Amino acid sequence: MFDFLSSKLEGVFSALGKTGSITENDLEKALREIRISLLEADVALPVVQKLFNEVKEEALGEKIFRSLAPKQMIVKIMHDKLQSVVSQSSEETEIKLRGDVATLMLVGLQGVGKTTTCSKIAHFLQKNYSSKVLMVSLDLQRAAAYNQLKSLALKAKVGFFEFTPTDFGGEVNQIALAAKAYAKEHGFKVLIVDTAGRTSIDEPLMQQLRGLSEVLNPSEVILVADSMLGQVSVKMAQDFQSFVPLTGLVLTKMEGNSRGGALLSIKYVTGIPVKFTGVGEHMDDLEIFSSQRIADRILQMGDVVTLVEKVSQLESDKEIKGLNKRLSQGIYTMDDFKKQCEGLMKLGGIGGFMGMIPGLGKMKDKIKEAGIDDTMLKRQIAIINSMTKAERKTPSMITSNRKKRIAAGCGQGVDKVNKLLKQYEQSAKMLKKFRQGKLKNLTDLAKMNNNL
Ligand code: GDP
Ligand code: MG
């Protein structure tokens, strides 16, 4: 067990510092696994392909931290890439309200949640911005659509523009303009336009939407997409974009199992900001889009990402840099040992650190049983603090009298001092092995420890 801990310490520190570079082979292997994860998350295939090409270009030749496997570095690079695809400024997220009657037009295929989202946004604007909102239904093919929006307007306590199918010659453009005029006349600040959907893209509908966007001059044209749509979402979004000037996206049904692949795909191909995500059927089930958690959710390799982030933080830590330099020269004193303990604490303690390394999690219990935990790290630091400068530099000079003094100084038993000295020796031995090239990285260590 002592071996185990000291090797862990060694693993973290003497193995820090950069080693070789990411190769084509590393990329091939790592990306194979990542591809499965992305496809499972419903990221569209052409998007996966494009992302891979970009990541390959960025990652190839990148230096690898010695304590990490190339795959871990590649996962992190991929994660950052995904995050950059979904990230956007708060300005982009905001709903733009332009003009006397700011007009929002919602478009999308049938059943994706347009009508529901119209009322959610109306409710949101009225609640948060005290904007008086009027809604109009331009889904003339289905009588039910008109009634659905009407009852939702009642629920949301917002205005609803009433008309019969024969009014305004049954012309959508005329109805839309009449609704806008009505809004202006009655002091509504926002007009939300619900449009017709189809099960698939069809030319007449697209022409209708284009016409509407021309006569209404809307502040926002928002494409509503179902996050469960999967692979077809990319083509759908591109088709809409080629007909109407989209300015925003809403992804619905995000509360379920959907990992957000459709969101990423659509955002990647259209470059349009996501305004909201729909997270349920109720009026309040609307969230302002936040890009932060999406990359994690899509890749689902958060542990590896955290590990790489922590290791690179340590890499830039001045103390640790100095320590690594000394270790690489074969210098290893009690002070160095103490710094290792402190570094391990910085990594979130033993539990936190072990939990992050794939394959080590299951050894946690064994470690706990042996009494190796963060209290022990703190105790070790206290014992070393109780040593004189000379003792720290040359631990071999610590005789039994000195041990007694050190133990008394930090309020620990002599047995604990002995234990620490033994661990230090084990660590020093490990370091030697590292320097001789017998151990290369944490995976080697894990293998070795499994054999103990
Ligand atoms: P439209 O045809 O695009 O207007 O779609 P609707 O607004 O009529 O919605 C279709 C179905 O999806 C309805 O049963 C809605 O309750 C449901 N729906 C809409 N948004 C969400 C959402 O964010 N989560 C869930 N679970 N259901 C939603
Ligand atoms: Mg509808």
Side-chain angles (χ1 to χ4, degrees), residues 130-206:
S130 324
S131 308
K132 215 176 149 203
V133 182
L134 179 74
M135 298 203 289
V136 59
S137 171
L138 296 182
D139 190 350
L140 304 183
Q141 273 77 27
R142 300 183 313 130
Y146 176 92
N147 292 326
Q148 185 193 2
L149 191 70
K150 187 175 176 180
S151 75
L152 285 170
L154 206 67
K155 240 193 212 165
K157 300 190 178 68
V158 302
F160 180 73
F161 183 71
E162 304 207 19
F163 60 92
T164 67
T166 50
D167 293 347
F168 314 104
E171 276 283 320
V172 281
N173 286 356
Q174 295 313 313
I175 299 167
L177 287 172
K180 199 163 181 173
Y182 179 90
K184 196 169 175 182
E185 210 172 296
H186 292 82
F188 289 97
K189 295 284 171 241
V190 181
L191 174 68
I192 298 183
V193 180
D194 187 17
T195 61
R198 295 277 197 282
T199 46
S200 61
I201 307 274
D202 81 23
E203 182 87 20
L205 176 69
M206 288 298 149

Coordinates of all heavy atoms in Angstrom, one line a residue, residues 130-206:
S130 N -42.1 43.0 -19.1 CA -43.4 43.7 -19.0 C -43.8 44.2 -20.4 O -44.4 45.3 -20.6 CB -43.4 44.9 -18.1 OG -42.7 44.6 -17.0
S131 N -43.4 43.4 -21.5 CA -43.8 43.8 -22.8 C -45.2 43.3 -23.1 O -45.5 42.1 -22.8 CB -42.9 43.2 -23.9 OG -41.6 43.5 -23.5
K132 N -46.1 44.1 -23.5 CA -47.5 43.6 -23.8 C -47.4 42.8 -25.1 O -46.9 43.4 -26.2 CB -48.4 44.8 -24.0 CG -49.8 44.6 -23.5 CD -50.7 45.8 -23.5 CE -52.1 45.4 -23.8 NZ -52.9 46.4 -24.4
V133 N -47.8 41.6 -25.1 CA -47.6 40.7 -26.3 C -48.9 40.3 -26.9 O -49.9 39.9 -26.2 CB -46.8 39.4 -25.8 CG1 -46.5 38.5 -27.0 CG2 -45.5 39.8 -25.1
L134 N -48.9 40.3 -28.2 CA -50.1 39.8 -29.0 C -49.6 38.6 -29.9 O -48.5 38.6 -30.4 CB -50.6 40.9 -30.0 CG -51.8 40.5 -30.9 CD1 -53.1 40.4 -30.0 CD2 -51.9 41.5 -32.0
M135 N -50.4 37.5 -29.9 CA -50.0 36.4 -30.8 C -51.0 36.2 -31.9 O -52.2 36.6 -31.8 CB -50.0 35.1 -30.0 CG -49.0 35.1 -28.8 SD -48.5 33.4 -28.3 CE -49.9 32.9 -27.5
V136 N -50.5 35.8 -33.0 CA -51.4 35.5 -34.2 C -51.0 34.1 -34.8 O -49.8 33.8 -34.9 CB -51.3 36.6 -35.2 CG1 -49.9 36.8 -35.8 CG2 -52.3 36.3 -36.4
S137 N -52.0 33.4 -35.1 CA -51.8 32.0 -35.7 C -52.0 32.1 -37.3 O -53.0 32.5 -37.8 CB -52.8 31.0 -35.2 OG -52.7 29.8 -35.9
L138 N -50.9 31.8 -38.0 CA -51.0 31.8 -39.5 C -51.0 30.4 -40.0 O -50.7 30.2 -41.2 CB -49.9 32.7 -40.0 CG -50.0 34.2 -39.6 CD1 -48.9 35.0 -40.3 CD2 -51.4 34.8 -40.0
D139 N -51.3 29.5 -39.2 CA -51.4 28.1 -39.6 C -52.8 27.9 -40.1 O -53.7 27.3 -39.4 CB -51.1 27.1 -38.5 CG -50.9 25.7 -38.9 OD1 -51.2 25.4 -40.1 OD2 -50.4 24.9 -38.1
L140 N -53.1 28.3 -41.3 CA -54.5 28.3 -41.8 C -55.1 27.0 -42.2 O -56.3 26.8 -42.3 CB -54.7 29.3 -43.0 CG -54.2 30.8 -42.7 CD1 -54.5 31.6 -43.9 CD2 -54.9 31.3 -41.4
Q141 N -54.2 26.0 -42.5 CA -54.6 24.7 -43.0 C -55.4 24.0 -41.9 O -56.3 23.2 -42.2 CB -53.5 23.9 -43.5 CG -53.1 24.1 -44.9 CD -52.3 25.4 -45.1 OE1 -51.6 25.9 -44.2 NE2 -52.4 26.0 -46.3
R142 N -54.9 24.1 -40.7 CA -55.5 23.3 -39.6 C -56.3 24.3 -38.6 O -55.7 25.1 -38.0 CB -54.4 22.6 -38.9 CG -53.7 21.6 -39.8 CD -52.6 20.8 -39.0 NE -51.9 21.7 -38.1 CZ -51.7 21.5 -36.8 NH1 -52.2 20.4 -36.2 NH2 -51.0 22.3 -36.1
A143 N -57.6 24.1 -38.5 CA -58.4 24.9 -37.6 C -58.0 24.7 -36.2 O -58.0 25.6 -35.4 CB -59.9 24.5 -37.8
A144 N -57.5 23.5 -35.9 CA -57.1 23.1 -34.5 C -55.9 24.0 -34.1 O -55.8 24.4 -32.9 CB -56.7 21.7 -34.4
A145 N -55.1 24.4 -35.1 CA -53.9 25.2 -34.8 C -54.3 26.5 -34.2 O -53.7 27.0 -33.2 CB -53.0 25.4 -36.0
Y146 N -55.3 27.1 -34.8 CA -55.8 28.4 -34.4 C -56.3 28.4 -32.9 O -55.9 29.2 -32.1 CB -56.9 28.9 -35.3 CG -57.6 30.2 -35.0 CD1 -57.2 31.4 -35.5 CD2 -58.7 30.2 -34.1 CE1 -57.8 32.6 -35.2 CE2 -59.4 31.4 -33.8 CZ -59.0 32.6 -34.4 OH -59.6 33.7 -34.1
N147 N -57.1 27.3 -32.7 CA -57.7 27.1 -31.3 C -56.6 26.8 -30.3 O -56.7 27.2 -29.1 CB -58.8 26.1 -31.3 CG -60.0 26.5 -32.2 OD1 -60.3 27.7 -32.1 ND2 -60.6 25.6 -32.9
Q148 N -55.6 26.1 -30.7 CA -54.6 25.7 -29.8 C -53.8 26.9 -29.3 O -53.6 27.1 -28.1 CB -53.6 24.8 -30.5 CG -52.4 24.2 -29.6 CD -51.3 23.6 -30.4 OE1 -51.4 23.5 -31.7 NE2 -50.3 23.0 -29.7
L149 N -53.5 27.8 -30.2 CA -52.8 29.0 -29.9 C -53.7 29.9 -29.0 O -53.2 30.6 -28.1 CB -52.3 29.8 -31.1 CG -51.3 30.9 -30.8 CD1 -49.9 30.4 -30.3 CD2 -51.0 31.8 -32.0
K150 N -54.9 29.9 -29.4 CA -55.9 30.8 -28.6 C -56.0 30.4 -27.2 O -55.9 31.2 -26.3 CB -57.3 30.7 -29.3 CG -58.3 31.7 -28.7 CD -59.6 31.6 -29.5 CE -60.6 32.5 -28.8 NZ -61.9 32.5 -29.5
S151 N -56.1 29.1 -26.9 CA -56.2 28.6 -25.5 C -54.8 28.8 -24.8 O -54.8 29.1 -23.6 CB -56.7 27.2 -25.5 OG -55.7 26.3 -25.8
L152 N -53.7 28.7 -25.5 CA -52.4 28.9 -24.9 C -52.3 30.4 -24.5 O -51.7 30.8 -23.5 CB -51.3 28.5 -25.8 CG -51.1 27.0 -25.9 CD1 -50.1 26.6 -27.0 CD2 -50.6 26.4 -24.5
A153 N -52.8 31.3 -25.4 CA -52.7 32.7 -25.1 C -53.5 33.1 -23.9 O -53.0 33.9 -23.0 CB -53.3 33.5 -26.3
L154 N -54.6 32.4 -23.7 CA -55.4 32.6 -22.5 C -54.6 32.2 -21.3 O -54.6 32.9 -20.3 CB -56.7 31.8 -22.7 CG -57.9 32.2 -21.9 CD1 -58.4 33.6 -22.5 CD2 -59.0 31.2 -22.0
K155 N -54.0 31.1 -21.4 CA -53.2 30.5 -20.3 C -52.0 31.5 -19.9 O -51.7 31.7 -18.8 CB -52.6 29.2 -20.7 CG -53.0 28.0 -19.8 CD -52.2 26.8 -20.1 CE -52.9 25.5 -19.9 NZ -52.2 24.4 -20.5
A156 N -51.4 32.0 -21.0 CA -50.2 32.8 -20.8 C -50.6 34.3 -20.4 O -49.8 35.1 -20.1 CB -49.3 32.8 -22.0
K157 N -51.9 34.5 -20.5 CA -52.4 35.9 -20.3 C -51.8 36.9 -21.2 O -51.4 38.0 -20.8 CB -52.2 36.3 -18.8 CG -52.9 35.3 -17.8 CD -52.9 36.0 -16.4 CE -53.6 35.1 -15.4 NZ -52.9 33.8 -15.1
V158 N -51.8 36.5 -22.5 CA -51.3 37.5 -23.5 C -52.4 37.6 -24.5 O -53.3 36.9 -24.6 CB -50.0 37.0 -24.2 CG1 -48.9 36.8 -23.2 CG2 -50.2 35.7 -25.0
G159 N -52.2 38.7 -25.4 CA -53.3 38.9 -26.4 C -53.3 37.9 -27.5 O -52.3 37.2 -27.8
F160 N -54.5 37.8 -28.2 CA -54.6 36.8 -29.3 C -55.4 37.5 -30.4 O -56.5 38.1 -30.1 CB -55.3 35.6 -28.8 CG -55.5 34.6 -29.9 CD1 -54.4 33.8 -30.4 CD2 -56.8 34.4 -30.5 CE1 -54.6 32.9 -31.4 CE2 -56.9 33.4 -31.5 CZ -55.8 32.7 -32.0
F161 N -54.9 37.5 -31.6 CA -55.6 38.2 -32.7 C -56.6 37.3 -33.3 O -56.3 36.2 -33.9 CB -54.5 38.6 -33.8 CG -55.1 39.4 -34.9 CD1 -55.6 40.7 -34.7 CD2 -55.3 38.8 -36.2 CE1 -56.1 41.4 -35.8 CE2 -55.8 39.5 -37.2 CZ -56.3 40.8 -37.0
E162 N -57.9 37.7 -33.2 CA -59.0 36.8 -33.7 C -59.4 37.2 -35.1 O -59.5 38.4 -35.5 CB -60.2 37.0 -32.8 CG -59.8 36.6 -31.3 CD -61.0 36.1 -30.5 OE1 -62.0 35.7 -31.1 OE2 -60.9 36.2 -29.3
F163 N -59.7 36.2 -35.9 CA -60.2 36.4 -37.3 C -60.9 35.1 -37.7 O -60.7 34.0 -37.1 CB -59.1 36.8 -38.2 CG -58.0 35.8 -38.3 CD1 -58.0 34.8 -39.3 CD2 -56.9 35.8 -37.5 CE1 -57.0 33.8 -39.4 CE2 -55.9 34.8 -37.6 CZ -56.0 33.9 -38.6
T164 N -61.7 35.2 -38.8 CA -62.2 33.9 -39.3 C -61.5 33.6 -40.6 O -60.9 34.5 -41.2 CB -63.8 34.1 -39.6 OG1 -63.9 35.0 -40.7 CG2 -64.5 34.6 -38.4
P165 N -61.5 32.4 -41.1 CA -60.7 32.0 -42.2 C -61.0 32.8 -43.5 O -60.1 32.9 -44.3 CB -61.2 30.5 -42.4 CG -61.7 30.0 -41.1 CD -62.3 31.2 -40.4
T166 N -62.2 33.4 -43.6 CA -62.5 34.1 -44.8 C -62.1 35.6 -44.7 O -62.1 36.3 -45.7 CB -64.0 34.1 -45.1 OG1 -64.7 34.4 -43.9 CG2 -64.4 32.7 -45.6
D167 N -61.8 36.1 -43.5 CA -61.3 37.5 -43.3 C -60.1 37.7 -44.2 O -59.3 36.8 -44.4 CB -61.0 37.8 -41.9 CG -62.2 37.8 -41.0 OD1 -63.3 37.8 -41.6 OD2 -62.1 37.7 -39.8
F168 N -59.9 38.9 -44.6 CA -58.7 39.4 -45.3 C -58.4 38.5 -46.5 O -57.2 38.2 -46.9 CB -57.4 39.4 -44.4 CG -57.7 40.1 -43.1 CD1 -57.9 39.3 -41.9 CD2 -57.9 41.4 -43.0 CE1 -58.2 39.9 -40.7 CE2 -58.1 42.0 -41.8 CZ -58.3 41.3 -40.6
G169 N -59.5 38.0 -47.1 CA -59.3 37.1 -48.3 C -58.6 35.8 -48.0 O -58.1 35.2 -49.0
G170 N -58.5 35.5 -46.8 CA -57.8 34.2 -46.4 C -56.3 34.3 -46.8 O -55.6 33.3 -46.9
E171 N -55.8 35.5 -46.9 CA -54.4 35.7 -47.3 C -53.5 35.8 -46.1 O -53.7 36.8 -45.3 CB -54.3 37.0 -48.1 CG -54.7 36.9 -49.6 CD -53.5 36.2 -50.4 OE1 -52.4 36.6 -50.1 OE2 -53.8 35.4 -51.2
V172 N -52.5 35.0 -46.0 CA -51.7 35.0 -44.8 C -51.0 36.4 -44.6 O -50.9 36.9 -43.5 CB -50.6 33.9 -44.7 CG1 -51.2 32.6 -44.2 CG2 -49.9 33.8 -46.0
N173 N -50.5 36.9 -45.7 CA -49.8 38.2 -45.6 C -50.7 39.3 -45.1 O -50.3 40.1 -44.3 CB -49.2 38.6 -47.0 CG -48.0 37.8 -47.4 OD1 -47.6 37.0 -46.6 ND2 -47.5 38.0 -48.5
Q174 N -51.9 39.3 -45.6 CA -52.9 40.3 -45.2 C -53.3 40.1 -43.7 O -53.4 41.1 -43.0 CB -54.2 40.2 -46.1 CG -53.9 40.6 -47.6 CD -53.1 41.8 -47.7 OE1 -53.4 42.9 -47.1 NE2 -52.0 41.7 -48.6
I175 N -53.4 38.9 -43.3 CA -53.8 38.7 -41.9 C -52.6 39.1 -41.0 O -52.8 39.8 -40.0 CB -54.0 37.1 -41.7 CG1 -55.2 36.7 -42.5 CG2 -54.3 36.9 -40.2 CD1 -55.4 35.2 -42.6
A176 N -51.4 38.8 -41.5 CA -50.2 39.2 -40.7 C -50.2 40.7 -40.5 O -49.9 41.2 -39.4 CB -49.0 38.7 -41.4
L177 N -50.4 41.4 -41.6 CA -50.3 42.9 -41.6 C -51.4 43.5 -40.7 O -51.2 44.4 -40.0 CB -50.4 43.5 -43.0 CG -49.1 43.3 -43.8 CD1 -49.3 43.7 -45.2 CD2 -47.9 44.0 -43.2
A178 N -52.6 42.8 -40.8 CA -53.8 43.3 -40.0 C -53.4 43.1 -38.5 O -53.7 44.0 -37.7 CB -55.0 42.5 -40.4
A179 N -52.8 42.0 -38.2 CA -52.4 41.7 -36.8 C -51.5 42.7 -36.3 O -51.6 43.2 -35.2 CB -51.8 40.3 -36.7
K180 N -50.5 43.1 -37.2 CA -49.5 44.1 -36.8 C -50.1 45.5 -36.5 O -49.8 46.2 -35.6 CB -48.4 44.2 -37.8 CG -47.1 44.8 -37.3 CD -45.9 44.5 -38.2 CE -44.7 45.2 -37.6 NZ -43.5 44.8 -38.3
A181 N -51.1 45.8 -37.4 CA -51.8 47.1 -37.3 C -52.6 47.1 -36.0 O -52.6 48.1 -35.3 CB -52.7 47.3 -38.5
Y182 N -53.2 46.0 -35.7 CA -54.0 45.9 -34.5 C -53.1 46.0 -33.3 O -53.5 46.7 -32.3 CB -54.7 44.5 -34.5 CG -55.6 44.2 -33.3 CD1 -56.9 44.6 -33.3 CD2 -55.0 43.6 -32.2 CE1 -57.7 44.4 -32.2 CE2 -55.8 43.4 -31.0 CZ -57.1 43.8 -31.0 OH -57.9 43.5 -29.9
A183 N -52.0 45.4 -33.3 CA -51.1 45.5 -32.2 C -50.7 46.9 -31.9 O -50.7 47.4 -30.8 CB -49.8 44.6 -32.5
K184 N -50.4 47.6 -33.0 CA -49.9 49.0 -32.9 C -51.0 49.9 -32.3 O -50.8 50.7 -31.4 CB -49.5 49.5 -34.3 CG -48.7 50.8 -34.2 CD -48.1 51.2 -35.5 CE -47.4 52.5 -35.4 NZ -46.8 52.9 -36.7
E185 N -52.2 49.6 -32.8 CA -53.4 50.4 -32.4 C -53.7 50.2 -30.9 O -54.2 51.1 -30.2 CB -54.6 50.0 -33.2 CG -55.6 51.0 -33.5 CD -56.6 50.4 -34.5 OE1 -56.2 50.2 -35.7 OE2 -57.8 50.2 -34.1
H186 N -53.5 49.0 -30.4 CA -53.9 48.6 -29.1 C -52.7 48.6 -28.1 O -52.8 48.0 -27.0 CB -54.6 47.3 -29.1 CG -56.0 47.4 -29.8 ND1 -56.1 47.3 -31.1 CD2 -57.2 47.6 -29.3 CE1 -57.4 47.5 -31.5 NE2 -58.1 47.7 -30.4
G187 N -51.6 49.1 -28.5 CA -50.5 49.3 -27.5 C -49.7 48.0 -27.2 O -49.0 47.9 -26.2
F188 N -49.8 47.0 -28.1 CA -48.9 45.8 -27.9 C -47.5 46.1 -28.4 O -47.4 46.7 -29.5 CB -49.5 44.6 -28.7 CG -50.8 44.1 -28.1 CD1 -52.0 44.4 -28.7 CD2 -50.7 43.2 -27.1 CE1 -53.2 43.9 -28.1 CE2 -51.9 42.6 -26.5 CZ -53.2 43.0 -27.1
K189 N -46.5 45.7 -27.6 CA -45.1 46.0 -28.0 C -44.5 44.9 -28.8 O -43.5 45.1 -29.5 CB -44.3 46.3 -26.7 CG -44.7 47.5 -25.9 CD -44.2 48.7 -26.6 CE -44.7 50.0 -26.0 NZ -45.6 50.8 -26.9
V190 N -45.1 43.7 -28.7 CA -44.5 42.6 -29.3 C -45.6 41.8 -30.1 O -46.7 41.6 -29.5 CB -43.8 41.6 -28.3 CG1 -43.1 40.4 -29.1 CG2 -42.7 42.4 -27.5
L191 N -45.3 41.4 -31.3 CA -46.2 40.5 -32.0 C -45.5 39.2 -32.3 O -44.4 39.2 -32.8 CB -46.6 41.1 -33.3 CG -47.5 40.2 -34.3 CD1 -48.8 40.0 -33.7 CD2 -47.6 40.9 -35.7
I192 N -46.1 38.1 -31.8 CA -45.5 36.8 -32.1 C -46.3 36.0 -33.1 O -47.5 35.9 -32.9 CB -45.3 36.0 -30.8 CG1 -44.4 36.7 -29.8 CG2 -44.7 34.6 -31.1 CD1 -44.1 36.0 -28.5
V193 N -45.6 35.6 -34.2 CA -46.3 35.0 -35.3 C -46.1 33.5 -35.3 O -44.9 33.1 -35.5 CB -45.8 35.7 -36.6 CG1 -46.6 35.1 -37.8 CG2 -46.1 37.2 -36.6
D194 N -47.1 32.7 -35.2 CA -47.0 31.3 -35.3 C -47.3 30.9 -36.7 O -48.3 31.3 -37.3 CB -48.0 30.6 -34.3 CG -47.8 29.1 -34.3 OD1 -46.8 28.6 -34.7 OD2 -48.8 28.4 -33.8
T195 N -46.5 30.1 -37.3 CA -46.6 29.8 -38.8 C -47.0 28.3 -38.9 O -46.9 27.5 -38.0 CB -45.4 30.1 -39.6 OG1 -44.3 29.3 -39.1 CG2 -45.0 31.6 -39.5
A196 N -47.4 28.0 -40.2 CA -47.7 26.6 -40.5 C -46.5 25.7 -40.6 O -45.4 26.2 -40.9 CB -48.5 26.5 -41.8
G197 N -46.6 24.5 -40.3 CA -45.5 23.5 -40.4 C -45.9 22.5 -41.4 O -47.0 22.4 -41.9
R198 N -44.9 21.7 -41.9 CA -45.2 20.5 -42.7 C -44.4 19.4 -42.1 O -43.4 19.6 -41.4 CB -44.7 20.8 -44.1 CG -45.4 21.9 -44.9 CD -46.7 21.4 -45.5 NE -47.1 22.4 -46.5 CZ -47.8 23.5 -46.2 NH1 -48.0 23.9 -45.0 NH2 -48.2 24.3 -47.2
T199 N -44.7 18.2 -42.6 CA -43.9 17.1 -42.1 C -42.5 17.1 -42.8 O -41.6 16.6 -42.2 CB -44.6 15.7 -42.3 OG1 -45.1 15.7 -43.7 CG2 -45.7 15.5 -41.4
S200 N -42.5 17.6 -44.0 CA -41.2 17.8 -44.6 C -41.2 19.2 -45.3 O -42.3 19.8 -45.5 CB -40.9 16.7 -45.5 OG -41.9 16.7 -46.5
I201 N -40.0 19.6 -45.7 CA -39.9 20.9 -46.4 C -40.7 20.9 -47.7 O -40.5 19.9 -48.5 CB -38.4 21.2 -46.7 CG1 -37.5 21.1 -45.5 CG2 -38.3 22.5 -47.5 CD1 -37.4 22.2 -44.6
D202 N -41.5 21.8 -47.9 CA -42.1 21.9 -49.3 C -42.1 23.4 -49.8 O -42.2 24.3 -49.0 CB -43.5 21.2 -49.4 CG -44.6 22.0 -48.9 OD1 -44.6 23.2 -48.9 OD2 -45.6 21.4 -48.6
E203 N -41.9 23.5 -51.1 CA -41.7 24.7 -51.7 C -42.7 25.8 -51.4 O -42.4 26.9 -51.0 CB -41.5 24.5 -53.2 CG -41.2 25.7 -54.1 CD -39.7 26.0 -54.1 OE1 -38.9 25.1 -53.9 OE2 -39.4 27.2 -54.4
P204 N -44.1 25.5 -51.6 CA -45.1 26.5 -51.4 C -45.0 27.1 -50.0 O -45.2 28.3 -49.8 CB -46.4 25.8 -51.6 CG -46.1 24.6 -52.4 CD -44.7 24.2 -52.1
L205 N -44.8 26.2 -49.0 CA -44.7 26.7 -47.6 C -43.5 27.6 -47.4 O -43.6 28.7 -46.8 CB -44.6 25.5 -46.6 CG -44.4 26.0 -45.2 CD1 -45.7 26.6 -44.7 CD2 -44.0 24.8 -44.3
M206 N -42.4 27.2 -48.0 CA -41.2 28.1 -47.9 C -41.4 29.4 -48.5 O -41.0 30.4 -48.0 CB -40.0 27.4 -48.6 CG -39.5 26.2 -47.8 SD -38.9 26.6 -46.2 CE -39.3 25.2 -45.3

